[in-house]
Amino acid sequence: MQASRRWPVDVGAGLLFILAAALLTHRLWPGPAGRVLAHNPSDQALDEWFLAYATRAYRGDFTLVTGMLNAPEGVNLLANASLIGMGLLMAPVTLAFGAPVTFSLLVAGNLAATGIGWYLLFARTLGTHRAGALLGGAFAAFAPGMVSQSNAHLHMTAAWLVPPIVWCVVRLAHQTDVTWRTARTGVLLGALVTAQFFVGEEVLFLAAVTLAVFTLVFAAAARPSRRVVPPFILGLGIGAGLAAALLAYPLWLQFQGPQSASGGVFHPSFFSADLASFTAISPQSLAGDDSAARLVSGPAEYTTFFGAPLLLVALGATVWMWRQPAVLASAVTTVVLSLFALGPWIVVDDSPTEQRGPFALLSGLPVIESALPTRFALGTIPLLAVIVARVVHAAITQTETLRLLVPVAVTAALVPLAPVPLPVTDRAPAPRFFTEGYWRMYTPEDGVVVPVPLPDPRDPDAMRWAAATDVRIATPQGWFIGPYGKGGAAAVGVYPRPTSQLLQRVAKSGSAAFPTDQDRTALARDVAYWRAASFVLDPRHPNAGALKQTMDGLLGPGERVEDVWVWRAP
């Protein structure tokens, strides 16, 4: 295709990806502040808090360990999936329209940008026919694993820097002499790796593992000229050295800094792929079956649901094109990552077996110990996209009899996996007390407002109140990972203080407590510990009456301010 005719086709492909992402998320758009992803509202509240916190950088007050959540001890952002890069990039949008709008844009934007990135890599760098590039890019962006992770796992769908990283590696692999181009590509690679660390560290880890296995298999199959080795190794070395230098402090802070935590908080066996899930179709796909939900830990982890038709197409393509090193390396790496995704023990159709999986060999290793096995399957998505793109390219450009049959077969295998719109449900918008600034009369800038009841990992919704102020107020407790397990190990959330426990009991039971002198003494200690300025209750809480009666017993009659009840801390 002539260069003058490429741009309109590429622009059209990009618009298709954007349209597909918009349709997938369209149910959020009638009012992002009053809508929430039905499958994962808790993580959405957490993501919105992180996005709002990033706006503090525009006020010159952004730190990687902050006391604005889990006040006063704080949270280590790098020990959490804190969306630092996306939050900083989108801060102007958040300041102008609020964190819910930014969140909704990122749910769609991550998928669209990832698809565009892979499409351009296939079409312009690898020389794939546009039809193959389009199908490969569409699968890389909208595979069931990517769609399910879109349920408030923005750090997992932010994979749009991976194609440029791969582009750097491909560029190095095509050099036969060490030149300034080698150094420039290495520097760019290091910069992209550093940026991806702050955009989505887990995606960077999966990309590194995938590229390492792929490169080894590709080198064994292609047996490249020895002249390729020096520039390739030098370029990778420059990239790794630059990334190591830039990330030395962040990595120390993540693993050894304040509020860091050792070990993982999620058990690998619980987050492992069921062998039967590979041939199943996700309930979030066009041909999905709700009964397949039993094969996963939750609706955000349909990472392996490729369906039998696509796997058969991939197998047939690999058999046909096994002499192509890129196809062979993609297939072998897919098998390796899929085996790791099975976790420490093999499970078949929701039935555990006594067969140990390859992941068991990695148990206890640093970093790996906190990895979720099933997410290794996310690394197979671009590999299968490579196979899809290459087989369509080969059929169209190299044969007469298959140039129509193969694209039709590939499309037929992909159509059942096409995503349906993400389900949403209504939620109460943040109170006007926060969105319109009334909180300033009761709490100083960066002061602590205690929600009634306090947010915790089971119900972090009140974290949205601080997000609505662009995190100009601090919140005790919350949903985060910190060193609150046994011996300082990683745990989700913090053990609640006595006042928090009292309010949680009332919120759960719906029966007001009659505070004792012991409760008031505990309250005084908790107020001093939190450095609380005020307590706030949203009357829309299901048990608001019992909670207000309890708070009145603790602190005296509350004040009705706009749409909330407020108690000044003693």
Side-chain angles (χ1 to χ4, degrees):
M1 184 181 295
Q2 296 179 356
S4 60
R5 298 174 60 187
R6 291 174 182 170
W7 282 107
V9 174
D10 293 345
V11 170
L15 291 175
L16 283 176
F17 288 121
I18 294 171
L19 177 62
L23 291 174
L24 183 68
T25 59
H26 79 273
R27 291 174 179 170
L28 282 171
W29 291 108
R35 297 288 182 97
V36 64
L37 292 171
H39 286 323
N40 202 358
S42 295
D43 280 0
Q44 182 169 340
L46 175 65
D47 282 355
E48 290 177 4
W49 189 94
F50 283 137
L51 292 170
Y53 176 76
T55 64
R56 293 178 64 90
Y58 286 59
R59 305 196 295 271
D61 185 22
F62 180 87
T63 57
L64 294 175
V65 180
T66 176
M68 300 306 291
L69 185 63
N70 187 36
E73 294 187 17
V75 170
N76 186 321
L77 295 184
L78 293 173
N80 290 266
S82 48
L83 314 182
I84 296 171
M86 285 179 281
L88 294 175
L89 182 66
M90 299 292 290
V93 176
T94 306
L95 288 169
F97 302 104
V101 172
T102 299
F103 174 87
S104 300
L105 282 172
L106 286 172
V107 174
N110 279 347
L111 298 180
T114 299
I116 291 170
W118 284 111
Y119 168 83
L120 291 175
L121 181 74
F122 292 148
R124 290 187 168 264
T125 301
L126 303 182
T128 307
H129 190 278
R130 260 46 183 189
L134 182 64
L135 290 173
F139 180 74
F142 298 100
M146 292 290 285
V147 173
S148 68
Q149 293 291 330
S150 293
N151 288 291
H153 286 175
L154 297 181
H155 63 293
M156 297 305 304
T157 60
W160 27 271
L161 287 179
V162 175
I165 289 173
V166 175
W167 177 85
C168 289
V169 175
V170 172
R171 184 179 171 96
L172 289 172
H174 281 83
Q175 291 188 235
T176 56
D177 296 297
V178 175
T179 64
W180 281 109
R181 180 181 176 184
T182 307
R184 290 196 302 268
T185 305
V187 169
L188 178 59
L189 176 61
L192 289 170
V193 166
T194 302
Q196 182 63 53
F197 176 87
F198 291 105
V199 169
E201 186 178 1
E202 195 168 347
V203 170
L204 177 61
F205 168 76
L206 292 173
V209 172
T210 302
L211 277 171
V213 177
F214 179 93
T215 301
L216 291 174
V217 178
F218 184 91
R223 297 183 180 181
S225 167
R226 292 184 179 181
R227 295 180 59 189
V228 173
V229 176
F232 186 74
I233 297 299
L234 178 61
L236 290 183
I238 292 173
L242 176 61
L246 295 174
L247 296 176
Y249 174 72
L251 286 169
W252 173 86
L253 190 65
Q254 176 179 352
F255 294 105
Q256 299 296 328
Q259 292 299 97
S260 62
S262 60
V265 296
F266 305 111
H267 198 282
S269 293
F270 184 72
F271 289 95
S272 297
D274 190 307
L275 187 61
S277 68
F278 285 87
T279 56
I281 296 180
S282 166
Q284 297 174 37
S285 295
L286 193 61
D289 182 357
D290 289 342
S291 65
R294 74 185 191 283
L295 303 176
V296 294
S297 58
E301 302 296 341
Y302 290 103
T303 57
T304 54
F305 285 61
F306 299 121
L310 177 63
L311 295 182
L312 289 174
V313 165
L315 177 61
T318 303
V319 172
W320 181 31
M321 300 185 296
W322 70 272
R323 297 188 196 285
Q324 294 188 24
V327 173
L328 181 61
S330 295
V332 172
T333 308
T334 294
V335 172
V336 171
L337 295 179
S338 297
L339 290 173
F340 283 134
L342 295 174
W345 297 93
I346 306 299
V347 176
V348 182
D349 200 20
D350 201 26
S351 299
T353 70
E354 296 182 358
Q355 179 62 49
R356 293 175 69 87
F359 186 85
L361 301 174
L362 308 178
S363 298
L365 294 178
V367 181
I368 298 294
E369 63 183 352
S370 58
L372 304 186
T374 186
R375 291 187 182 171
F376 277 97
L378 293 175
T380 69
I381 292 173
L383 298 170
L384 289 171
V386 169
I387 296 174
V388 164
R390 296 305 299 171
V391 73
V392 172
H393 172 83
I396 293 176
T397 62
Q398 299 174 18
T399 70
E400 287 292 335
T401 57
L402 300 178
R403 63 183 309 167
L404 181 61
L405 177 62
V406 168
V408 168
V410 170
T411 302
L414 292 177
V415 166
L417 304 180
V420 296
L422 295 173
V424 304
T425 188
D426 292 333
R427 65 175 176 181
R432 295 192 307 278
F433 178 81
F434 297 102
T435 60
E436 298 179 9
Y438 292 95
W439 59 269
R440 296 178 185 277
M441 298 185 293
Y442 296 87
T443 306
E445 184 93 3
D446 297 341
V448 177
V449 172
V450 181
V452 179
L454 282 78
D456 63 17
R458 293 168 297 178
D459 183 13
D461 192 66
M463 289 170 56
R464 295 193 298 121
W465 299 356
T469 71
D470 296 323
V471 191
R472 294 176 184 269
I473 57 174
T475 305
Q477 293 191 185
W479 165 202
F480 60 91
I481 295 174
Y484 296 107
K486 186 176 181 180
V492 178
V494 64
Y495 191 76
R497 295 185 67 82
T499 302
S500 177
Q501 294 180 46
L502 174 65
L503 296 175
Q504 286 289 355
R505 287 197 298 271
V506 174
K508 185 175 181 179
S509 67
S511 299
F514 298 94
T516 64
D517 290 341
Q518 184 178 359
D519 293 328
R520 295 185 182 90
T521 300
L523 172 66
R525 293 197 187 103
D526 293 343
V527 166
Y529 173 78
W530 289 324
R531 301 168 192 164
S534 60
F535 290 73
V536 175
L537 168 64
D538 187 343
R540 295 171 296 185
H541 190 284
N543 292 318
L547 287 165
K548 181 181 182 301
Q549 185 176 344
T550 302
M551 287 300 301
D552 287 344
L554 286 169
L555 290 174
E559 302 176 54
R560 182 64 184 244
V561 182
E562 276 300 302
D563 52 350
V564 300
W565 289 99
V566 184
W567 292 262
R568 294 183 187 273

